[in-house]
Every structure is written in structure tokens, then in C-alpha cells.
Amino acid sequence: MTERDLLQLRQVSRHFGSFRALDEVDLTVRRGARHAVIGPNGAGKSTLFGLISGTLATTGGTILVDGKDVTRLPVDRRVGLGVAATFQHSSLFLRETVLENVLLAVLRRARARAAAGAGAGLGGWRRVSARTESIEQARTLLARVGLPGRHDVLAAALSHGERRQLEVAVALATEPRLLLLDEPAAGMSPAEAARLTELVAALPADVTVLLIEHDLDMVFELADTVTVMHLGRHLTTGSPDQVRASSEVQSAYLGTMEAAS
Ligand code: ADP
Ligand code: MG
């Protein structure tokens, strides 16, 4: 791992009983990368994200973020280190409003920072102004993901595509350095997917993005690096052109994925 790298997985495994959902995967993600992970269903992509975000425990190997071993850290500590994820199965609070969902994430980030010793506890008017600031941040994020004017709607009332947009706003609210997006375009209309692609492309260069996506147009438009997984194993990592040109990937994986979608 060098200074250039933000994330490194060394021989990371996750077994469920005798089943190897992930088997000794090595992966390095460069700082500022737009790194896509592709592979057929069941390849272990979502499991990989669970291990990186901390929602799932490893059964072997080491995960480093910025050189720090996070393998055994709980989710909140990883959020404090700048790791944020959207999940394939939504983690929104459906009975809360759109604004509340983002606001909760903004406040979570503030708490994680305070727990990391970044600031003393706030009292009196400073707490009030911190809340006003947090609401302002939440509004800005909602505008950024394309959900202005939807603040007071319950998350449950959003369309599928809008929920995914909200999930991205929730993830961005934690001011991540590493943003994990698990099939963000799944179930979106082509217009919604195009808008999401623009949003991800416009993220600041210092936000490193690791993206699982079946929409290969989106992958090849956004990604500077592509990793292909298959049956719990790392198959190959390269530039989009290298991956597209790899006959092994072509015949075995891109073909089946395109056929499946
Ligand atoms: P992908 O996201 O690439 O489609 P997943 O990471 O979701 O793949 O799943 C990889 C494999 O691990 C699949 O065969 C899946 O059935 C299995 N798996 C995932 N989670 C569990 C679990 N909690 N218990 C048992 N098997 C699981
Ligand atoms: Mg998945």
C-alpha cells in the first residue's frame, strides 16, 4: 500500500458456513479513483461492500483505510474515518421525511467526529446554530442529488429512482472520503440513471468512489478502473479498455451480464 492508495484489502474472505462468498480477495483502490466492481449475480460484490463498510464481519484477511487497519472496527468508527455506503437493499427510514433522512446522517457525522475528538460538546446557542447549519447542509445535498422540493415528503412515498437519489444524499451527508455505491442505478429509468451518472461524475475529485453496477454504460462512462469478480474471487482489475478487451471477461462475464439485464 502506498500514499496513493486509500483502500486496501488483503486476502479478505467471508465464509457462510462452508460456503465461500468471498475467498481471499486482494484489492487496492487509489485515492480519488472512480473504481467499478462488476461480475455476475452471486459474485460476492455486495458482500465485499459489507466487509468494507463494516456491516458484515470478515472471516479472514485485513482491510486498511488510509493505512489504518479497520478490519474489526464498527460501522460508526468507519463512518468517522470517511467510509460511507449506499446499500442494495435500502437502509432509509421510510416513515421519516426526506429531509429528516438526510439530517439524521448529517448529525451522525457530527457525532462521529465528536467521538473521534474533533470537537468539544456543543452547548446553548452553538447547538441551535449547529442544527440550523445541519438543516442547511441537508437542503443543499437534496438539491445536489436532484430532490429539491421533496423535503417534506415521507421517504416511503418516493418513487424507486427517487429513493436511490435520497440514499446517495444520505451517504454524501457523512462527507465521505470513500463512497461505496451498490447498484445505485438499479430500477431507475434511463433519465434517472443518466442524472445519477452526472451526479457521480461531478463529485469532488477527493471523494474516492467504489461502484457496483450492472449498467455497463454507466460503468464505462464513469470508471477509470474496473475490477471483475466471479464466484467470490477477484478475477481481474484494469482500465475500462483493458477489461472490455479481455476475451476471458468478454466471453465469461460481460456476455452473461448483458444477457441477464
Ligand atoms: P453479488 O452482490 O455479487 O450479487 P452477494 O455478495 O450478494 O453477491 O452474494 C455472494 C454469495 O454469497 C451469494 O451466493 C449469496 O447467496 C451468498 N450470501 C450472501 N449473503 C449471505 C448470507 N447472509 N448467508 C448465506 N449466504 C449469503
Ligand atoms: Mg449485490
Side-chain angles (χ1 to χ4, degrees), residues 72-155:
R72 310 254 167 265
L73 289 187
V75 175
D76 270 2
R77 293 284 303 285
R78 298 193 205 194
V79 170
L81 289 169
V83 179
T86 68
F87 297 97
Q88 191 173 8
H89 302 292
S90 175
S91 53
L92 298 175
F93 298 104
L94 295 178
R95 292 176 186 187
E96 302 288 344
T97 66
V98 166
L99 185 68
E100 278 295 335
N101 267 277
V102 182
L103 189 55
L104 285 168
V106 169
L107 295 172
R108 189 174 182 209
R109 169 68 182 176
R111 254 203 320 277
R113 272 194 179 151
L122 298 178
W125 67 269
R126 287 200 56 204
R127 193 163 51 212
V128 175
S129 82
R131 180 161 174 100
T132 311
E133 245 170 62
S134 300
I135 292 173
E136 217 33 65
Q137 269 180 42
R139 288 183 191 281
T140 306
L141 284 165
L142 285 169
R144 192 154 145 204
V145 301
L147 287 174
R150 303 290 273 157
H151 299 173
D152 300 326
V153 173
L154 291 185

Side-chain angles (χ1 to χ4, degrees), residues 11-250:
Q11 299 282 294
V12 167
S13 297
R14 171 68 209 206
H15 299 175
F16 294 104
S18 62
F19 178 72
R20 298 177 181 194
L22 272 188
D23 200 19
E24 301 187 340
V25 169
D26 287 316
L27 180 71
T28 300
V29 177
R30 229 180 46 255
R31 236 174 260 283
R34 303 287 180 259
H35 194 134
V37 179
I38 63 175
N41 281 330
K45 306 180 298 297
S46 294
T47 300
L48 183 78
F49 272 28
L51 300 183
I52 297 168
S53 65
T55 55
L56 197 61
T58 57
T59 49
T62 307
I63 302 173
L64 302 168
V65 173
D66 223 356
K68 185 177 164 55
D69 186 345
V70 304
T71 316
R72 310 254 167 265
L73 289 187
V75 175
D76 270 2
R77 293 284 303 285
R78 298 193 205 194
V79 170
L81 289 169
V83 179
T86 68
F87 297 97
Q88 191 173 8
H89 302 292
S90 175
S91 53
L92 298 175
F93 298 104
L94 295 178
R95 292 176 186 187
E96 302 288 344
T97 66
V98 166
L99 185 68
E100 278 295 335
N101 267 277
V102 182
L103 189 55
L104 285 168
V106 169
L107 295 172
R108 189 174 182 209
R109 169 68 182 176
R111 254 203 320 277
R113 272 194 179 151
L122 298 178
W125 67 269
R126 287 200 56 204
R127 193 163 51 212
V128 175
S129 82
R131 180 161 174 100
T132 311
E133 245 170 62
S134 300
I135 292 173
E136 217 33 65
Q137 269 180 42
R139 288 183 191 281
T140 306
L141 284 165
L142 285 169
R144 192 154 145 204
V145 301
L147 287 174
R150 303 290 273 157
H151 299 173
D152 300 326
V153 173
L154 291 185
L158 296 179
S159 74
H160 187 82
E162 286 176 324
R163 282 191 200 184
R164 315 271 358 181
Q165 285 167 281
L166 178 55
E167 282 163 19
V168 175
V170 165
L172 288 176
T174 64
E175 294 177 10
R177 287 191 299 160
L178 175 63
L179 178 62
L180 308 172
L181 300 170
D182 193 349
E183 299 193 28
M188 282 190 168
S189 69
E192 286 171 332
R195 158 163 220 135
L196 182 76
T197 305
E198 268 173 42
L199 168 70
V200 175
L203 288 174
D206 61 354
V207 179
T208 303
V209 179
L210 192 56
L211 167 80
I212 296 173
E213 189 47 68
H214 275 297
D215 179 342
L216 293 182
D217 289 340
M218 187 170 174
V219 166
F220 288 122
E221 189 170 336
L222 280 177
D224 48 45
T225 312
V226 179
T227 289
V228 186
M229 292 187 53
H230 183 52
L231 298 176
R233 288 184 167 268
H234 173 274
L235 192 71
T236 185
T237 293
S239 70
D241 284 346
Q242 285 168 333
V243 167
R244 231 189 314 232
S246 154
S247 56
E248 187 187 20
V249 172
Q250 281 272 339

